[in-house]
Short mmCIF file of all heavy atoms in Angstrom, two decimals:
data_model
loop_
_atom_site.label_atom_id
_atom_site.label_comp_id
_atom_site.label_asym_id
_atom_site.label_seq_id
_atom_site.Cartn_x
_atom_site.Cartn_y
_atom_site.Cartn_z
N GLU A 2 -27.34 -26.73 -38.25
CA GLU A 2 -26.12 -26.35 -37.42
C GLU A 2 -25.47 -25.16 -38.04
O GLU A 2 -25.32 -25.00 -39.26
CB GLU A 2 -25.26 -27.54 -37.40
CG GLU A 2 -25.80 -28.65 -36.47
CD GLU A 2 -24.79 -29.75 -36.25
OE1 GLU A 2 -23.76 -29.47 -35.57
OE2 GLU A 2 -25.03 -30.88 -36.67
N THR A 3 -25.07 -24.25 -37.14
CA THR A 3 -24.46 -23.00 -37.56
C THR A 3 -23.27 -23.18 -38.50
O THR A 3 -23.10 -22.38 -39.44
CB THR A 3 -24.02 -22.22 -36.29
OG1 THR A 3 -25.08 -22.12 -35.35
CG2 THR A 3 -23.49 -20.84 -36.64
N GLU A 4 -22.45 -24.17 -38.27
CA GLU A 4 -21.20 -24.33 -38.95
C GLU A 4 -21.37 -24.99 -40.35
O GLU A 4 -20.40 -25.27 -41.01
CB GLU A 4 -20.25 -25.18 -38.14
CG GLU A 4 -19.82 -24.58 -36.83
CD GLU A 4 -20.79 -24.70 -35.65
OE1 GLU A 4 -21.82 -25.40 -35.79
OE2 GLU A 4 -20.50 -24.23 -34.56
N ILE A 5 -22.62 -25.17 -40.78
CA ILE A 5 -22.86 -25.75 -42.14
C ILE A 5 -22.23 -24.89 -43.22
O ILE A 5 -21.91 -25.33 -44.32
CB ILE A 5 -24.34 -25.99 -42.36
CG1 ILE A 5 -24.53 -27.00 -43.40
CG2 ILE A 5 -25.07 -24.72 -42.70
CD1 ILE A 5 -24.11 -28.43 -43.15
N THR A 6 -22.15 -23.59 -42.97
CA THR A 6 -21.55 -22.66 -44.00
C THR A 6 -20.13 -22.33 -43.72
O THR A 6 -19.58 -21.41 -44.34
CB THR A 6 -22.36 -21.37 -44.05
OG1 THR A 6 -22.40 -20.77 -42.74
CG2 THR A 6 -23.81 -21.62 -44.54
N VAL A 7 -19.46 -23.08 -42.86
CA VAL A 7 -18.02 -22.79 -42.55
C VAL A 7 -17.15 -22.87 -43.87
O VAL A 7 -16.25 -22.01 -44.02
CB VAL A 7 -17.47 -23.74 -41.49
CG1 VAL A 7 -15.92 -23.88 -41.57
CG2 VAL A 7 -17.87 -23.24 -40.15
N PRO A 8 -17.36 -23.80 -44.77
CA PRO A 8 -16.61 -23.78 -46.03
C PRO A 8 -16.70 -22.46 -46.77
O PRO A 8 -15.68 -21.95 -47.39
CB PRO A 8 -17.11 -24.95 -46.83
CG PRO A 8 -17.67 -25.92 -45.82
CD PRO A 8 -18.26 -25.03 -44.77
N ILE A 9 -17.89 -21.85 -46.79
CA ILE A 9 -18.00 -20.51 -47.45
C ILE A 9 -17.27 -19.44 -46.69
O ILE A 9 -16.59 -18.64 -47.28
CB ILE A 9 -19.59 -20.20 -47.49
CG1 ILE A 9 -20.37 -21.32 -48.10
CG2 ILE A 9 -19.78 -18.85 -48.24
CD1 ILE A 9 -20.16 -21.51 -49.56
N TYR A 10 -17.39 -19.41 -45.36
CA TYR A 10 -16.74 -18.55 -44.53
C TYR A 10 -15.14 -18.66 -44.69
O TYR A 10 -14.44 -17.65 -44.85
CB TYR A 10 -17.08 -18.73 -43.06
CG TYR A 10 -16.29 -18.02 -42.07
CD1 TYR A 10 -16.61 -16.68 -41.74
CD2 TYR A 10 -15.22 -18.66 -41.36
CE1 TYR A 10 -15.85 -16.04 -40.74
CE2 TYR A 10 -14.55 -17.96 -40.39
CZ TYR A 10 -14.82 -16.62 -40.12
OH TYR A 10 -14.06 -15.97 -39.13
N THR A 11 -14.69 -19.92 -44.74
CA THR A 11 -13.27 -20.14 -44.93
C THR A 11 -12.79 -19.68 -46.24
O THR A 11 -11.72 -19.11 -46.33
CB THR A 11 -12.99 -21.63 -44.69
OG1 THR A 11 -13.44 -22.08 -43.40
CG2 THR A 11 -11.49 -21.94 -44.84
N GLU A 12 -13.57 -19.83 -47.28
CA GLU A 12 -13.17 -19.41 -48.56
C GLU A 12 -13.00 -17.88 -48.62
O GLU A 12 -12.01 -17.35 -49.18
CB GLU A 12 -14.20 -19.83 -49.64
CG GLU A 12 -13.80 -19.43 -51.09
CD GLU A 12 -14.74 -20.00 -52.10
OE1 GLU A 12 -15.55 -20.87 -51.75
OE2 GLU A 12 -14.73 -19.48 -53.24
N ALA A 13 -13.95 -17.20 -48.00
CA ALA A 13 -13.83 -15.72 -47.96
C ALA A 13 -12.63 -15.26 -47.11
O ALA A 13 -11.90 -14.29 -47.45
CB ALA A 13 -15.14 -15.15 -47.36
N LYS A 14 -12.40 -16.00 -45.95
CA LYS A 14 -11.30 -15.63 -45.10
C LYS A 14 -9.95 -15.91 -45.82
O LYS A 14 -9.04 -15.02 -45.83
CB LYS A 14 -11.37 -16.53 -43.85
CG LYS A 14 -10.11 -16.40 -42.92
CD LYS A 14 -10.23 -17.25 -41.70
CE LYS A 14 -10.15 -18.64 -42.03
NZ LYS A 14 -8.81 -19.02 -42.46
N ASN A 15 -9.86 -16.99 -46.52
CA ASN A 15 -8.59 -17.29 -47.21
C ASN A 15 -8.34 -16.33 -48.38
O ASN A 15 -7.21 -16.05 -48.73
CB ASN A 15 -8.64 -18.72 -47.71
CG ASN A 15 -8.44 -19.78 -46.56
OD1 ASN A 15 -8.13 -19.36 -45.48
ND2 ASN A 15 -8.79 -21.00 -46.80
N ARG A 16 -9.41 -15.88 -49.03
CA ARG A 16 -9.23 -14.87 -50.08
C ARG A 16 -8.61 -13.59 -49.49
O ARG A 16 -7.71 -12.99 -50.06
CB ARG A 16 -10.52 -14.55 -50.72
CG ARG A 16 -10.56 -13.52 -51.87
CD ARG A 16 -11.97 -13.25 -52.31
NE ARG A 16 -12.71 -12.64 -51.28
CZ ARG A 16 -14.05 -12.71 -51.21
NH1 ARG A 16 -14.70 -13.42 -52.05
NH2 ARG A 16 -14.69 -12.09 -50.20
N LEU A 17 -9.11 -13.15 -48.28
CA LEU A 17 -8.53 -11.98 -47.66
C LEU A 17 -7.02 -12.24 -47.25
O LEU A 17 -6.24 -11.31 -47.33
CB LEU A 17 -9.33 -11.60 -46.48
CG LEU A 17 -10.77 -11.02 -46.73
CD1 LEU A 17 -11.57 -10.94 -45.46
CD2 LEU A 17 -10.67 -9.72 -47.44
N GLU A 18 -6.78 -13.46 -46.81
CA GLU A 18 -5.38 -13.76 -46.45
C GLU A 18 -4.43 -13.66 -47.67
O GLU A 18 -3.35 -13.19 -47.56
CB GLU A 18 -5.29 -15.14 -45.79
CG GLU A 18 -5.96 -15.23 -44.43
CD GLU A 18 -5.96 -16.65 -43.88
OE1 GLU A 18 -5.50 -17.54 -44.63
OE2 GLU A 18 -6.38 -16.79 -42.72
N ARG A 19 -4.97 -14.12 -48.79
CA ARG A 19 -4.18 -14.05 -50.00
C ARG A 19 -3.85 -12.56 -50.42
O ARG A 19 -2.79 -12.26 -50.89
CB ARG A 19 -4.81 -14.72 -51.13
CG ARG A 19 -4.59 -16.25 -51.21
CD ARG A 19 -5.08 -16.82 -52.50
NE ARG A 19 -6.49 -16.76 -52.66
CZ ARG A 19 -7.35 -17.72 -52.24
NH1 ARG A 19 -6.94 -18.81 -51.61
NH2 ARG A 19 -8.61 -17.56 -52.39
N GLU A 20 -4.93 -11.73 -50.22
CA GLU A 20 -4.72 -10.30 -50.60
C GLU A 20 -3.65 -9.67 -49.71
O GLU A 20 -2.95 -8.72 -50.14
CB GLU A 20 -6.09 -9.58 -50.50
CG GLU A 20 -7.11 -10.05 -51.50
CD GLU A 20 -8.49 -9.41 -51.30
OE1 GLU A 20 -8.65 -8.69 -50.29
OE2 GLU A 20 -9.40 -9.69 -52.02
N GLY A 21 -3.61 -10.08 -48.44
CA GLY A 21 -2.44 -9.65 -47.53
C GLY A 21 -2.54 -8.16 -47.14
O GLY A 21 -1.53 -7.65 -46.79
N ASN A 22 -3.70 -7.57 -47.13
CA ASN A 22 -3.79 -6.19 -46.66
C ASN A 22 -3.99 -6.18 -45.18
O ASN A 22 -4.58 -7.03 -44.57
CB ASN A 22 -4.98 -5.47 -47.37
CG ASN A 22 -4.85 -5.47 -48.90
OD1 ASN A 22 -3.71 -5.33 -49.38
ND2 ASN A 22 -5.99 -5.59 -49.56
N ASN A 23 -3.47 -5.10 -44.49
CA ASN A 23 -3.70 -4.81 -43.07
C ASN A 23 -3.32 -6.01 -42.23
O ASN A 23 -4.11 -6.60 -41.53
CB ASN A 23 -5.16 -4.45 -42.81
CG ASN A 23 -5.55 -3.17 -43.51
OD1 ASN A 23 -4.73 -2.27 -43.65
ND2 ASN A 23 -6.80 -3.11 -43.95
N LYS A 24 -2.08 -6.50 -42.40
CA LYS A 24 -1.64 -7.57 -41.52
C LYS A 24 -1.38 -7.12 -40.11
O LYS A 24 -0.87 -5.99 -39.92
CB LYS A 24 -0.33 -8.27 -42.08
CG LYS A 24 -0.59 -8.99 -43.43
CD LYS A 24 0.66 -9.66 -43.90
CE LYS A 24 0.46 -10.50 -45.14
NZ LYS A 24 1.70 -11.12 -45.61
N PRO A 25 -1.61 -7.96 -39.11
CA PRO A 25 -2.27 -9.28 -39.23
C PRO A 25 -3.81 -9.14 -39.34
O PRO A 25 -4.42 -8.32 -38.81
CB PRO A 25 -1.99 -9.93 -37.86
CG PRO A 25 -1.86 -8.80 -36.88
CD PRO A 25 -1.29 -7.67 -37.69
#
């Protein structure tokens, strides 16, 4: 299933959210 790597994707997304560049 495609979503098996969602935790990896979410970790990368949240890292970018923490950096806070180019909001939104």
Side-chain angles (χ1 to χ4, degrees):
E2 290 188 65
T3 306
E4 293 85 1
I5 200 69
T6 56
V7 159
I9 308 293
Y10 171 82
T11 301
E12 184 176 341
K14 174 179 70 68
N15 289 346
R16 182 184 63 209
L17 290 172
E18 289 177 356
R19 275 192 296 271
E20 292 172 0
N22 300 325
N23 299 323
K24 289 185 180 181

